[in-house]
Amino acid sequence: MSKILKWLVLIIVFCVGGYMLAEWKMNKEVVSFLERKVPDHIDFSYDQISINLIKGNIAFKNVAVISSGKQTSSCEIKVDAELLSIKGFDYWKILFQNAIYIKSLTLTKPHLNFKTCPQESDNVVANKSNPINLLKEIFVEEIIFDAGKLNIWDSNEEKELIAIEQINLSLKKVATDPDIITKYVPFEFADYNIEVNNINAPLGEFEELEMASLLMNNTTINITDIVLSTVYSKAELSKKIRYERDHIYLSVPTIKVDKHNYTVSNDSLQVNFKELLLSNPKLEIYRDKARLEDFRNKPLYGKLLQKLPFKVAIDSIFIEKGTIMYEENIPNNVGAGALSFENLDVKISNLSNKRNVENPVQIQLNADLMGTGKFDLNWQFNVYDPKSTFLISGGLSNFNTASLNDFLVPNLRTQTTGTIDQLYFTISGDEYAATGDIKMKYEDFKFQVLNKERNGVKSVLSFIGNLFINDGSKTDIDGYRYGEISTERVKNKSFFNYLWINLQDGLLSVLTGNGKKD
């Protein structure tokens, strides 16, 4: 064997041995680093570690991380993953630029378990007083969660608050440094893509939220098959509650958000949407009036928006081809009466609880009332108006009043006949009282008062009632009779009850007054 060949073999053996020694040394250094630098409240374990010095790759198999949540709002965090893979670790940057650069960080099949803290927990206090200290800049080209799962539990780990069967996540150009790490969001990133499937989240004792899928990136959000519903049947709910409470079922096949972003100011999150579209939503509401009435004050929508725990600004919300069904069951053994709105189209503009927004919230809707009449409504209010003032105008046309009997007979023990050809109204008010005007063109409008069993007419009462109702013959040149609206709000009832009593007052004024325009 020539000397050159011997030296070549020797060099190869030396290089291979040196590389193996370097990998062994690097392995020891990584293990030592984790033992020294991982905080005491975090337990990090794995079954196997593999290192490729040439490519700058590190992989941990069967990773398990348990954190007591000292630096978070969760009291315990558990993460299990089949593989934690770090690729493209840049030695030059860490040795000469005091920065950590990684090409990609991937968690394969991670399972995240969070346990929330009890109120006034010492961990939350510790979080505020002990910020994370970071000595180097960290930059990762891409962070990937591949086929992950998520579960969030209450502080006793007895009740599941959120369950997600699968999460796929990609974050591009993720960066943090000693300054960014102390902020509300402790890192920055550029592009992202999130795919979430099969979400379940209880909303308190009575309702739950389910979602089939959510796709989210820098510009759009797409949600499919979202359902918000009462977990009990109508009969079961009535047995469990003492005071009146709505039994609800809301389903929305698709929700799309266009051009969204999120900002943080003074540790307060702000959500900004350009456009939000809900297609074919269906809302069913049932209320058992046999329960006790809840006399607590119900704030109007402006004050509800003020109380949101974050700021929101949505330029436009569109609801297309929606349906609303409201049932009210009076304890009379007759069955629930129902009101319905079909083919509901809604546009909401300037929905925001930011204080510097000057334009009012504006709501426009059109719908078929009880499958027959055309109903439209325009409504506007200022969120931070101290008096909660509002302005509503609307109309109803070609409405056969007999279609209301399904609601009137069981709930009000009355029935009607006749047609409302045209009805227009305007209402202005605040949280205390409202006034307005109304005009109506109608034909042969009558009502009858039923007996207690609702199977016969109380002729005398019906006759007397119809004496006070104008049959529509005494009208102006265009066929309209006019009325006035003046009501006081019942503060323990909803805004829609407020709207209804205003319309009711106006209808009585048209039907029983002189019908003249002041």
Side-chain angles (χ1 to χ4, degrees):
M1 182 181 294
S2 67
K3 289 184 178 181
I4 296 176
L5 185 58
K6 289 180 179 179
W7 278 106
L8 183 60
V9 171
L10 184 62
I11 291 171
I12 292 173
V13 170
F14 179 79
C15 290
V16 171
Y19 177 78
M20 294 177 65
L21 179 63
E23 275 199 351
W24 174 80
K25 181 64 175 176
M26 185 65 175
N27 192 311
K28 286 193 66 176
E29 288 297 323
V30 170
V31 173
S32 175
F33 176 84
L34 292 174
E35 290 176 349
R36 288 183 290 108
K37 294 297 185 179
V38 173
D40 293 338
H41 66 278
I42 297 177
D43 180 18
F44 181 86
S45 63
Y46 53 90
D47 287 347
Q48 182 181 342
I49 181 174
S50 60
I51 295 175
N52 186 316
L53 285 178
I54 296 175
K55 294 182 178 180
N57 297 346
I58 304 174
F60 300 89
K61 290 186 177 180
N62 297 323
V63 175
V65 180
I66 301 176
S67 171
S68 64
K70 188 175 182 180
Q71 303 293 346
T72 71
S73 60
S74 295
C75 278
E76 186 175 85
I77 302 173
K78 296 179 181 178
V79 181
D80 300 301
E82 287 188 2
L83 183 68
L84 169 58
S85 174
I86 298 172
K87 294 184 178 181
F89 187 88
D90 193 317
Y91 305 110
W92 181 268
K93 288 186 182 295
I94 194 169
L95 291 174
F96 299 102
Q97 297 182 10
N98 197 34
I100 297 174
Y101 174 89
I102 298 170
K103 189 171 183 63
S104 69
L105 188 154
T106 303
L107 272 174
T108 303
K109 294 187 177 179
H111 186 186
L112 288 76
N113 271 281
F114 294 82
K115 185 173 73 173
T116 59
C117 292
Q119 292 184 350
E120 305 299 330
S121 169
D122 292 338
N123 293 66
V124 177
V125 176
N127 177 39
K128 295 179 180 178
S129 59
N130 294 287
I132 296 175
N133 294 317
L134 188 67
L135 300 179
K136 296 180 177 66
E137 294 181 2
I138 300 175
F139 183 87
V140 184
E141 282 283 353
E142 184 175 20
I143 294 178
I144 299 171
F145 277 46
D146 181 20
K149 294 175 65 177
L150 172 67
N151 299 89
I152 300 178
W153 301 83
D154 66 356
S155 58
N156 297 319
E157 209 166 352
E158 295 176 349
K159 184 176 182 181
E160 196 169 35
L161 304 179
I162 296 177
I164 300 177
E165 283 191 10
Q166 187 176 64
I167 303 175
N168 293 303
L169 166 67
S170 171
L171 296 177
K172 301 288 184 68
K173 301 185 185 304
V174 182
T176 188
D177 59 29
D179 179 51
I180 296 173
I181 198 73
T182 63
K183 295 182 178 180
Y184 184 86
V185 179
F187 57 91
E188 296 176 346
F189 55 90
D191 299 334
Y192 67 93
N193 191 79
I194 303 172
E195 179 182 353
V196 180
N197 295 310
N198 298 326
I199 304 170
N200 182 275
L203 304 177
E205 180 183 354
F206 297 101
E207 287 82 35
E208 69 177 356
L209 178 70
E210 297 176 304
M211 191 185 306
S213 69
L214 181 150
L215 298 175
M216 183 175 177
N217 56 38
N218 290 59
T219 57
T220 62
I221 302 173
N222 288 283
I223 301 173
T224 62
D225 295 327
I226 185 168
V227 175
L228 171 63
S229 62
T230 302
V231 297
Y232 304 105
S233 69
K234 295 173 183 177
E236 288 172 337
L237 179 64
S238 294
K239 293 177 181 178
K240 289 182 175 290
I241 58 175
R242 183 180 181 188
Y243 294 94
E244 292 179 9
R245 183 184 183 91
D246 290 334
H247 182 283
I248 60 174
Y249 178 84
L250 170 64
S251 65
V252 188
T254 59
I255 298 177
K256 182 177 181 180
V257 177
D258 186 35
K259 295 181 180 178
H260 61 92
N261 64 78
Y262 311 87
T263 57
V264 177
S265 178
N266 298 322
D267 288 342
S268 177
L269 176 65
Q270 179 176 311
V271 179
N272 305 288
F273 291 167
K274 180 70 175 178
E275 183 177 300
L276 189 154
L277 171 64
L278 293 83
S279 299
N280 305 109
K282 183 177 182 180
L283 174 61
E284 298 177 1
I285 303 174
Y286 170 87
R287 173 160 289 207
D288 186 355
K289 302 294 288 186
R291 305 296 94 192
L292 296 176
E293 187 171 352
D294 188 350
F295 288 99
R296 290 177 295 180
N297 183 31
K298 288 184 172 61
L300 298 183
Y301 287 99
K303 291 187 176 180
L304 289 175
L305 285 169
Q306 291 179 37
K307 293 179 180 179
L308 286 177
F310 56 89
K311 297 298 181 183
V312 62
I314 306 176
D315 290 355
S316 301
I317 300 175
F318 296 95
I319 300 174
E320 294 182 347
K321 303 302 178 186
T323 301
I324 298 177
M325 177 74 71
Y326 176 76
E327 288 184 287
E328 200 171 86
N329 190 26
I330 303 294
N332 50 32
N333 298 320
V334 176
L339 282 175
S340 66
F341 295 86
E342 297 91 13
N343 295 317
L344 176 68
D345 292 328
V346 182
K347 179 182 179 182
I348 304 174
S349 305
N350 309 316
L351 184 66
S352 174
N353 60 357
K354 295 168 59 179
R355 283 191 174 273
N356 60 349
V357 173
E358 297 181 358
N359 296 326
V361 178
Q362 295 185 326
I363 302 171
Q364 300 172 294
L365 68 85
N366 299 277
D368 295 339
L369 174 60
M370 303 297 288
T372 171
K374 299 295 181 181
F375 178 72
D376 65 87
L377 185 76
N378 297 283
W379 171 18
Q380 68 176 44
F381 61 91
N382 287 297
V383 172
Y384 285 98
D385 187 327
K387 295 184 179 179
S388 298
T389 59
F390 62 87
L391 178 65
I392 292 180
S393 62
L396 178 65
S397 62
N398 302 318
F399 183 61
N400 181 356
T401 62
S403 64
L404 278 176
N405 288 334
D406 287 343
F407 183 78
L408 296 176
V409 170
N411 293 301
L412 300 179
R413 218 199 318 166
T414 62
Q415 63 185 20
T416 66
T417 58
T419 301
I420 295 176
D421 296 324
Q422 296 285 345
L423 180 149
Y424 300 100
F425 61 89
T426 301
I427 304 167
S428 61
D430 54 32
E431 60 181 327
Y432 302 103
T435 59
D437 53 69
I438 186 170
K439 69 176 183 178
M440 185 167 70
K441 183 192 297 186
Y442 58 96
E443 298 176 7
D444 301 324
F445 187 91
K446 293 182 179 180
F447 79 91
Q448 295 174 316
V449 180
L450 305 179
N451 59 27
K452 186 176 181 180
E453 290 74 26
R454 291 166 174 75
N455 56 11
V457 176
K458 286 193 172 183
S459 302
V460 175
L461 287 177
S462 298
F463 174 75
I464 294 173
N466 285 307
L467 284 178
F468 292 97
I469 291 182
N470 189 285
D471 62 5
S473 60
K474 296 180 181 180
T475 63
D476 68 3
I477 192 172
D478 295 317
Y480 288 98
R481 286 178 57 81
Y482 297 81
E484 295 182 349
I485 296 171
S486 180
T487 65
E488 292 185 2
R489 182 184 171 222
V490 182
K491 291 188 177 182
N492 67 293
K493 294 186 180 293
S494 69
F495 178 82
F496 295 101
N497 172 268
Y498 195 13
L499 175 62
W500 167 247
I501 63 175
N502 276 280
L503 292 175
Q504 186 181 52
D505 187 76
L507 287 171
L508 288 174
S509 178
V510 168
L511 296 172
T512 62
N514 60 26
K516 295 180 180 180
K517 184 177 182 180
D518 293 335

